[in-house]
Amino acid sequence: MTPTEPLTRGTAGPAAVRPPLPVKMVIAGGFGVGKTTTVGSISEIEPLTTEASITEVAAGVDDLTHTPRKTTTTVALDFGCITIDPTLKLYLFGTPGQERFGFMWDDIVEGAVGGLVIVDTRRLDDCYAAVDYFEHMDIPFAVAVNAFDGKVEHSLDEVRWALDVSDGVPVVVFDARERGSVRDALLVVLELALARTEQ
């Protein structure tokens, strides 16, 4: 029986369709790379965000060089969801980007089938921690280069080399503001996770 086939109890009562399978995915990356934007672009519900204003103290810790208009930052997590098809519903959990919130990652990532590590090619070093985390935890992940202002500073081969990720880690370009682009990036991770289960 497939998940889309109706479930019946004997001959009485109306047929019921199974609800979509809930699947958890983590959106990770450095400070200001577009995690909150990614979740907001694709979520079918009003996303839950834990944004706080960037104070003078935080501005002295977090590098705002490439994000001078950024006035808020995620201090816990972002949450949204999207129904992929009648059989699958994706729950998205965005991590905070600052290293000082790293203690929350284990709780956020628990139960996730995979992760999308978003990078800004102008500051690749900001995503090393996320890449290392997923590699250490042996969680399938893809690297998604956010095309700020419609462009990226380095080729995908250069990004792969700089991050030193294996050939089995997909590296793609996407636009965190575009729903279709975000969908395509998430599907890359889902396909990767599915391939892992079939091994």
Side-chain angles (χ1 to χ4, degrees):
M1 178 180 295
T2 66
T4 55
E5 290 176 354
L7 298 176
T8 58
R9 293 184 177 179
T11 57
V17 177
R18 288 183 180 174
L21 179 70
V23 174
K24 181 179 182 179
M25 186 179 296
V26 174
I27 312 297
F31 171 75
V33 296
K35 299 180 297 296
T36 300
T37 301
T38 297
V39 173
S41 294
I42 194 73
S43 180
E44 64 193 17
I45 63 169
E46 184 69 26
L48 168 67
T49 62
T50 54
E51 294 281 287
S53 296
I54 296 176
T55 63
E56 289 184 13
V57 173
V61 175
D62 300 320
D63 184 3
L64 300 175
T65 305
H66 295 288
T67 55
R69 295 187 300 272
K70 187 171 178 61
T71 59
T72 61
T73 185
T74 300
V75 295
L77 59 84
D78 298 313
F79 173 78
C81 64
I82 178 69
T83 302
I84 301 298
D85 62 33
T87 68
L88 187 66
K89 189 164 189 172
L90 197 58
Y91 291 88
L92 306 173
F93 290 77
T95 65
Q98 301 93 324
E99 288 189 27
R100 63 183 179 276
F101 295 122
F103 67 92
M104 302 173 60
W105 276 50
D106 287 345
D107 291 332
I108 294 174
V109 171
E110 184 177 0
V113 299
L116 186 69
V117 177
I118 302 176
V119 304
D120 179 350
T121 54
R122 299 169 298 181
R123 45 198 178 95
L124 284 173
D125 55 335
D126 285 358
C127 72
Y128 290 154
V131 169
D132 289 346
Y133 183 89
F134 285 110
E135 287 180 337
H136 177 72
M137 299 299 289
D138 195 28
I139 296 173
F141 72 98
V143 172
V145 178
N146 195 358
F148 284 91
D149 300 320
K151 61 182 180 181
V152 295
E153 298 290 324
H154 303 284
S155 72
L156 295 185
D157 286 340
E158 290 172 327
V159 171
R160 180 181 295 282
W161 178 85
L163 298 180
D164 192 27
V165 292
S166 71
D167 292 340
V169 175
V171 180
V172 301
V173 174
F174 88 125
D175 188 330
R177 302 165 299 178
E178 298 293 333
R179 181 180 177 88
S181 186
V182 172
R183 177 204 60 214
D184 292 345
L186 295 176
L187 288 176
V188 168
V189 180
L190 278 177
E191 290 171 1
L192 196 63
L194 180 60
R196 173 75 68 91
T197 65
E198 293 175 345
Q199 289 179 353

